[in-house]
Amino acid sequence: MYNLSGKVAIVTGAAGEHGIGRAIANRLAQEGADVVITDIANDPYRHDPARWEGASAVVREIEEKGRSSLCVLVDVSDANQVDDMVRQVLDRFGGVDILVNNAGARPGPDRVPVVEMEEAAWDEVQNVNLKGTFLCCRAVSRHMIDRGKGGKIINMSSTSGKHGRALYAAYCASKFGVRGFTQSLALELAPHRINVNAICPGSVDTERVGYILEATSSEDISAESWRTSEHRQAFIQERARNIPLGRMAQPLDIAKLAAFLASSQSDYLTGLSINIDGGAEMD
Ligand code: NAD
């Protein structure tokens, strides 16, 4: 549908089995791109290795589509590691055309009232979600500007980046920040034909939702057991009731929008923060 042949993409936070990053990486590869998989650990959710091998499994999926891939483990909140990651990508592929800043801090100690929040919990969310987006954008934009062939940058915000939510203060602040950063960077990079847009999903059925419920639910739900628990179906059904299109998002829904924004079909869009939430919020 979108011709990404000959393009090289970096997707951060792409090692989770049920994550948005893995879905985006696979979708970009399906459209023809070579895809670099990055995450803080090979298997950040420490699954049973006999069932899910983490980033190496995503690399294999991409290679099975006939595309090239590379896994680089990187903490996106560390400038040296990010710069080194981009250097490794340039050494291997010679250029970067698409950057997807998908990595997000794991929900946990930040999901409390502001008056109870530890400074470290606040910092962790800003460091990964906002500073990590800045560092990856900085490193890749420098290369894209020097190379002079344009590019596509896609930042993951959230509908929680459009309105505040109780128990989400650190997360909302970071995702509002991603939107402001996206607009500023879009203006700076427009003369270089580099498009910068943000995606704002509502709830998406990933591992992350288990961690959110573990941190915020009054019920005894463990993140690890969530995917196979009865709570998951109940949660999905409950969410669907408030979504005009009648279902909670799956990672593939987000990946399809990312593929569009990574393609030449979106050449005249920049600085946008696009909701993808089944019609739940319309501004
Ligand atoms: P996820 O938590 O499964 O994915 C985030 C990934 O980022 C994980 O693989 C994690 O290991 C990685 N990561 C965390 N800290 C890192 C660091 N310091 N360096 C590098 N990688 C790091 O979540 P997901 O649901 O797949 O979400 C992906 C993105 O979409 C996140 O930015 C999230 O905020 C956003 N989002 C998710 C939802 C949702 O409901 N799932 C809704 C709106 C926005």
Side-chain angles (χ1 to χ4, degrees):
M1 184 188 270
Y2 304 117
N3 182 7
L4 301 181
S5 303
K7 305 289 185 194
V8 175
I10 298 174
V11 184
T12 67
E17 182 179 9
H18 303 287
I20 294 170
R22 176 190 178 194
I24 292 176
N26 271 288
R27 188 68 185 198
L28 296 182
Q30 189 184 322
E31 303 291 350
D34 295 327
V35 186
V36 179
I37 303 303
T38 78
D39 210 307
I40 193 156
N42 185 59
D43 180 6
Y45 288 105
R46 293 195 297 279
H47 296 86
D48 170 4
R51 196 174 59 78
W52 174 246
E53 288 171 35
S56 8
V58 186
V59 165
R60 202 167 45 247
E61 287 174 336
I62 288 161
E63 289 174 346
E64 282 166 4
K65 292 181 172 63
R67 310 311 322 158
S68 295
S69 189
L70 172 72
C71 167
V72 184
L73 299 185
V74 58
D75 178 348
V76 294
S77 66
D78 181 310
N80 290 330
Q81 291 189 37
V82 168
D83 290 348
D84 186 57
M85 177 271 286
V86 174
R87 256 192 307 274
Q88 287 185 55
V89 176
L90 295 180
D91 285 350
R92 165 79 183 270
F93 293 101
V96 180
D97 304 281
I98 300 158
L99 168 66
V100 184
N101 285 300
N102 170 74
R106 181 171 297 177
D110 62 304
R111 299 299 161 104
V112 293
V114 171
V115 291
E116 293 170 20
M117 199 185 309
E118 299 290 340
E119 186 180 350
W122 171 272
D123 285 347
E124 170 71 5
V125 175
Q126 310 314 321
N127 284 342
V128 178
N129 297 7
L130 191 50
K131 183 180 172 192
T133 298
F134 152 62
L135 291 175
C136 292
C137 284
R138 186 178 69 170
V140 169
S141 324
R142 284 173 174 163
H143 155 72
M144 285 178 171
I145 290 169
D146 285 351
R147 190 184 186 208
K149 291 176 74 175
K152 303 284 185 183
I153 296 178
I154 300 159
N155 296 328
M156 201 58 73
S157 180
S158 167
T159 50
S160 298
K162 293 202 169 179
H163 57 80
R165 300 174 68 184
L167 307 185
Y168 277 64
Y171 185 74
C172 287
S174 74
K175 295 299 189 181
F176 268 75
V178 166
R179 291 180 49 226
F181 176 77
T182 297
Q183 292 181 11
S184 296
L185 188 65
L187 290 169
E188 292 178 13
L189 297 185
H192 303 279
R193 290 184 300 108
I194 301 168
N195 306 64
V196 190
N197 290 292
I199 295 179
C200 298
S203 276
V204 187
D205 181 16
T206 70
E207 281 102 338
R208 180 177 198 82
V209 179
Y211 284 89
I212 296 171
L213 292 181
E214 184 179 78
T216 58
S217 172
S218 53
E219 291 186 66
D220 186 20
I221 303 172
S222 95
E224 280 76 16
S225 68
W226 181 72
R227 184 148 282 274
T228 51
S229 78
E230 76 278 8
H231 295 295
R232 178 164 168 255
Q233 276 320 317
F235 179 82
I236 289 172
Q237 280 165 11
E238 198 271 315
R239 278 295 151 108
R241 270 198 286 280
N242 299 318
I243 296 174
L245 286 177
R247 66 177 177 83
M248 189 175 162
Q250 293 298 318
L252 180 59
D253 293 305
I254 315 306
K256 289 176 183 172
L257 176 56
F260 166 69
L261 291 174
S263 77
S264 61
Q265 301 302 305
S266 65
D267 276 353
Y268 202 56
L269 301 183
T270 200
L272 299 182
S273 295
I274 302 172
N275 287 0
I276 174 158
D277 62 357
E281 293 175 32
M282 296 193 177
D283 63 350

PDB file of all heavy atoms in Angstrom, residues 84-103:
ATOM      1  N   ASP A  84      25.367   6.816  20.008  1.00  0.00           N
ATOM      2  CA  ASP A  84      26.074   5.606  19.583  1.00  0.00           C
ATOM      3  C   ASP A  84      25.151   4.681  18.774  1.00  0.00           C
ATOM      4  O   ASP A  84      25.565   4.087  17.774  1.00  0.00           O
ATOM      5  CB  ASP A  84      26.625   4.880  20.824  1.00  0.00           C
ATOM      6  CG  ASP A  84      27.486   3.718  20.426  1.00  0.00           C
ATOM      7  OD1 ASP A  84      28.469   3.955  19.691  1.00  0.00           O
ATOM      8  OD2 ASP A  84      27.168   2.564  20.802  1.00  0.00           O
ATOM      9  N   MET A  85      23.895   4.594  19.185  1.00  0.00           N
ATOM     10  CA  MET A  85      22.926   3.767  18.454  1.00  0.00           C
ATOM     11  C   MET A  85      22.791   4.275  17.020  1.00  0.00           C
ATOM     12  O   MET A  85      22.828   3.501  16.054  1.00  0.00           O
ATOM     13  CB  MET A  85      21.573   3.812  19.188  1.00  0.00           C
ATOM     14  CG  MET A  85      20.439   3.070  18.529  1.00  0.00           C
ATOM     15  SD  MET A  85      19.490   4.042  17.344  1.00  0.00           S
ATOM     16  CE  MET A  85      18.535   5.131  18.432  1.00  0.00           C
ATOM     17  N   VAL A  86      22.658   5.594  16.869  1.00  0.00           N
ATOM     18  CA  VAL A  86      22.488   6.156  15.517  1.00  0.00           C
ATOM     19  C   VAL A  86      23.755   5.911  14.693  1.00  0.00           C
ATOM     20  O   VAL A  86      23.679   5.577  13.503  1.00  0.00           O
ATOM     21  CB  VAL A  86      22.104   7.652  15.589  1.00  0.00           C
ATOM     22  CG1 VAL A  86      22.081   8.282  14.201  1.00  0.00           C
ATOM     23  CG2 VAL A  86      20.738   7.807  16.262  1.00  0.00           C
ATOM     24  N   ARG A  87      24.920   6.032  15.342  1.00  0.00           N
ATOM     25  CA  ARG A  87      26.187   5.739  14.616  1.00  0.00           C
ATOM     26  C   ARG A  87      26.194   4.295  14.098  1.00  0.00           C
ATOM     27  O   ARG A  87      26.571   4.024  12.959  1.00  0.00           O
ATOM     28  CB  ARG A  87      27.390   5.955  15.537  1.00  0.00           C
ATOM     29  CG  ARG A  87      28.136   7.259  15.218  1.00  0.00           C
ATOM     30  CD  ARG A  87      29.479   7.341  15.919  1.00  0.00           C
ATOM     31  NE  ARG A  87      29.401   7.124  17.343  1.00  0.00           N
ATOM     32  CZ  ARG A  87      29.142   8.092  18.243  1.00  0.00           C
ATOM     33  NH1 ARG A  87      28.949   9.321  17.843  1.00  0.00           N
ATOM     34  NH2 ARG A  87      29.079   7.813  19.526  1.00  0.00           N
ATOM     35  N   GLN A  88      25.769   3.364  14.971  1.00  0.00           N
ATOM     36  CA  GLN A  88      25.732   1.947  14.550  1.00  0.00           C
ATOM     37  C   GLN A  88      24.795   1.751  13.355  1.00  0.00           C
ATOM     38  O   GLN A  88      25.094   0.997  12.433  1.00  0.00           O
ATOM     39  CB  GLN A  88      25.245   1.064  15.701  1.00  0.00           C
ATOM     40  CG  GLN A  88      26.243   0.872  16.823  1.00  0.00           C
ATOM     41  CD  GLN A  88      25.702  -0.111  17.849  1.00  0.00           C
ATOM     42  OE1 GLN A  88      25.331  -1.233  17.491  1.00  0.00           O
ATOM     43  NE2 GLN A  88      25.655   0.287  19.105  1.00  0.00           N
ATOM     44  N   VAL A  89      23.668   2.448  13.389  1.00  0.00           N
ATOM     45  CA  VAL A  89      22.702   2.323  12.276  1.00  0.00           C
ATOM     46  C   VAL A  89      23.308   2.883  10.988  1.00  0.00           C
ATOM     47  O   VAL A  89      23.204   2.276   9.912  1.00  0.00           O
ATOM     48  CB  VAL A  89      21.377   3.040  12.620  1.00  0.00           C
ATOM     49  CG1 VAL A  89      20.419   3.002  11.431  1.00  0.00           C
ATOM     50  CG2 VAL A  89      20.735   2.412  13.851  1.00  0.00           C
ATOM     51  N   LEU A  90      23.988   4.023  11.108  1.00  0.00           N
ATOM     52  CA  LEU A  90      24.591   4.630   9.905  1.00  0.00           C
ATOM     53  C   LEU A  90      25.712   3.753   9.367  1.00  0.00           C
ATOM     54  O   LEU A  90      25.873   3.597   8.150  1.00  0.00           O
ATOM     55  CB  LEU A  90      25.096   6.037  10.224  1.00  0.00           C
ATOM     56  CG  LEU A  90      23.993   7.045  10.595  1.00  0.00           C
ATOM     57  CD1 LEU A  90      24.585   8.416  10.898  1.00  0.00           C
ATOM     58  CD2 LEU A  90      22.938   7.153   9.495  1.00  0.00           C
ATOM     59  N   ASP A  91      26.519   3.153  10.269  1.00  0.00           N
ATOM     60  CA  ASP A  91      27.588   2.245   9.823  1.00  0.00           C
ATOM     61  C   ASP A  91      27.014   1.082   9.033  1.00  0.00           C
ATOM     62  O   ASP A  91      27.565   0.650   8.024  1.00  0.00           O
ATOM     63  CB  ASP A  91      28.355   1.685  11.034  1.00  0.00           C
ATOM     64  CG  ASP A  91      29.276   2.740  11.632  1.00  0.00           C
ATOM     65  OD1 ASP A  91      29.441   3.806  10.999  1.00  0.00           O
ATOM     66  OD2 ASP A  91      29.796   2.510  12.744  1.00  0.00           O
ATOM     67  N   ARG A  92      25.891   0.557   9.506  1.00  0.00           N
ATOM     68  CA  ARG A  92      25.321  -0.628   8.862  1.00  0.00           C
ATOM     69  C   ARG A  92      24.515  -0.287   7.611  1.00  0.00           C
ATOM     70  O   ARG A  92      24.618  -0.954   6.587  1.00  0.00           O
ATOM     71  CB  ARG A  92      24.446  -1.359   9.901  1.00  0.00           C
ATOM     72  CG  ARG A  92      23.497  -2.392   9.351  1.00  0.00           C
ATOM     73  CD  ARG A  92      24.176  -3.734   9.008  1.00  0.00           C
ATOM     74  NE  ARG A  92      23.216  -4.634   8.422  1.00  0.00           N
ATOM     75  CZ  ARG A  92      22.473  -5.483   9.109  1.00  0.00           C
ATOM     76  NH1 ARG A  92      22.619  -5.572  10.427  1.00  0.00           N
ATOM     77  NH2 ARG A  92      21.601  -6.256   8.508  1.00  0.00           N
ATOM     78  N   PHE A  93      23.692   0.786   7.692  1.00  0.00           N
ATOM     79  CA  PHE A  93      22.750   1.041   6.587  1.00  0.00           C
ATOM     80  C   PHE A  93      23.092   2.286   5.755  1.00  0.00           C
ATOM     81  O   PHE A  93      22.510   2.495   4.695  1.00  0.00           O
ATOM     82  CB  PHE A  93      21.319   1.183   7.130  1.00  0.00           C
ATOM     83  CG  PHE A  93      20.758  -0.091   7.711  1.00  0.00           C
ATOM     84  CD1 PHE A  93      20.728  -0.301   9.075  1.00  0.00           C
ATOM     85  CD2 PHE A  93      20.270  -1.096   6.887  1.00  0.00           C
ATOM     86  CE1 PHE A  93      20.216  -1.469   9.616  1.00  0.00           C
ATOM     87  CE2 PHE A  93      19.751  -2.273   7.406  1.00  0.00           C
ATOM     88  CZ  PHE A  93      19.734  -2.461   8.780  1.00  0.00           C
ATOM     89  N   GLY A  94      23.957   3.144   6.281  1.00  0.00           N
ATOM     90  CA  GLY A  94      24.363   4.328   5.528  1.00  0.00           C
ATOM     91  C   GLY A  94      23.433   5.519   5.656  1.00  0.00           C
ATOM     92  O   GLY A  94      23.799   6.628   5.262  1.00  0.00           O
ATOM     93  N   GLY A  95      22.231   5.332   6.164  1.00  0.00           N
ATOM     94  CA  GLY A  95      21.309   6.452   6.300  1.00  0.00           C
ATOM     95  C   GLY A  95      20.078   6.051   7.091  1.00  0.00           C
ATOM     96  O   GLY A  95      19.820   4.860   7.292  1.00  0.00           O
ATOM     97  N   VAL A  96      19.324   7.052   7.546  1.00  0.00           N
ATOM     98  CA  VAL A  96      18.044   6.814   8.235  1.00  0.00           C
ATOM     99  C   VAL A  96      16.994   7.698   7.576  1.00  0.00           C
ATOM    100  O   VAL A  96      17.218   8.898   7.384  1.00  0.00           O
ATOM    101  CB  VAL A  96      18.113   7.187   9.742  1.00  0.00           C
ATOM    102  CG1 VAL A  96      16.768   6.917  10.415  1.00  0.00           C
ATOM    103  CG2 VAL A  96      19.226   6.438  10.448  1.00  0.00           C
ATOM    104  N   ASP A  97      15.861   7.104   7.217  1.00  0.00           N
ATOM    105  CA  ASP A  97      14.779   7.849   6.572  1.00  0.00           C
ATOM    106  C   ASP A  97      13.586   8.070   7.493  1.00  0.00           C
ATOM    107  O   ASP A  97      12.809   9.006   7.297  1.00  0.00           O
ATOM    108  CB  ASP A  97      14.277   7.074   5.332  1.00  0.00           C
ATOM    109  CG  ASP A  97      15.407   6.792   4.363  1.00  0.00           C
ATOM    110  OD1 ASP A  97      15.777   7.711   3.620  1.00  0.00           O
ATOM    111  OD2 ASP A  97      15.946   5.658   4.381  1.00  0.00           O
ATOM    112  N   ILE A  98      13.425   7.155   8.457  1.00  0.00           N
ATOM    113  CA  ILE A  98      12.210   7.166   9.294  1.00  0.00           C
ATOM    114  C   ILE A  98      12.632   6.909  10.740  1.00  0.00           C
ATOM    115  O   ILE A  98      13.401   5.974  11.010  1.00  0.00           O
ATOM    116  CB  ILE A  98      11.247   6.028   8.855  1.00  0.00           C
ATOM    117  CG1 ILE A  98      10.820   6.212   7.386  1.00  0.00           C
ATOM    118  CG2 ILE A  98      10.039   5.938   9.782  1.00  0.00           C
ATOM    119  CD1 ILE A  98      10.325   4.926   6.718  1.00  0.00           C
ATOM    120  N   LEU A  99      12.148   7.742  11.647  1.00  0.00           N
ATOM    121  CA  LEU A  99      12.376   7.507  13.079  1.00  0.00           C
ATOM    122  C   LEU A  99      11.019   7.449  13.765  1.00  0.00           C
ATOM    123  O   LEU A  99      10.208   8.370  13.626  1.00  0.00           O
ATOM    124  CB  LEU A  99      13.193   8.666  13.688  1.00  0.00           C
ATOM    125  CG  LEU A  99      13.253   8.703  15.222  1.00  0.00           C
ATOM    126  CD1 LEU A  99      14.007   7.489  15.771  1.00  0.00           C
ATOM    127  CD2 LEU A  99      13.894   9.996  15.715  1.00  0.00           C
ATOM    128  N   VAL A 100      10.792   6.375  14.524  1.00  0.00           N
ATOM    129  CA  VAL A 100       9.560   6.271  15.311  1.00  0.00           C
ATOM    130  C   VAL A 100       9.933   6.239  16.788  1.00  0.00           C
ATOM    131  O   VAL A 100      10.514   5.265  17.265  1.00  0.00           O
ATOM    132  CB  VAL A 100       8.746   5.007  14.947  1.00  0.00           C
ATOM    133  CG1 VAL A 100       7.429   5.000  15.721  1.00  0.00           C
ATOM    134  CG2 VAL A 100       8.494   4.920  13.446  1.00  0.00           C
ATOM    135  N   ASN A 101       9.626   7.319  17.494  1.00  0.00           N
ATOM    136  CA  ASN A 101       9.913   7.404  18.930  1.00  0.00           C
ATOM    137  C   ASN A 101       8.740   6.813  19.699  1.00  0.00           C
ATOM    138  O   ASN A 101       7.810   7.525  20.086  1.00  0.00           O
ATOM    139  CB  ASN A 101      10.130   8.867  19.324  1.00  0.00           C
ATOM    140  CG  ASN A 101      11.479   9.348  18.857  1.00  0.00           C
ATOM    141  OD1 ASN A 101      12.508   8.798  19.244  1.00  0.00           O
ATOM    142  ND2 ASN A 101      11.480  10.348  17.996  1.00  0.00           N
ATOM    143  N   ASN A 102       8.818   5.513  19.918  1.00  0.00           N
ATOM    144  CA  ASN A 102       7.713   4.793  20.552  1.00  0.00           C
ATOM    145  C   ASN A 102       7.989   4.437  22.015  1.00  0.00           C
ATOM    146  O   ASN A 102       7.060   4.182  22.774  1.00  0.00           O
ATOM    147  CB  ASN A 102       7.476   3.509  19.727  1.00  0.00           C
ATOM    148  CG  ASN A 102       6.523   2.556  20.398  1.00  0.00           C
ATOM    149  OD1 ASN A 102       5.312   2.804  20.416  1.00  0.00           O
ATOM    150  ND2 ASN A 102       7.052   1.475  20.980  1.00  0.00           N
ATOM    151  N   ALA A 103       9.276   4.418  22.424  1.00  0.00           N
ATOM    152  CA  ALA A 103       9.613   3.964  23.789  1.00  0.00           C
ATOM    153  C   ALA A 103       8.853   4.785  24.822  1.00  0.00           C
ATOM    154  O   ALA A 103       8.703   5.999  24.692  1.00  0.00           O
ATOM    155  CB  ALA A 103      11.116   4.097  24.030  1.00  0.00           C
TER     156      ALA A 103
END
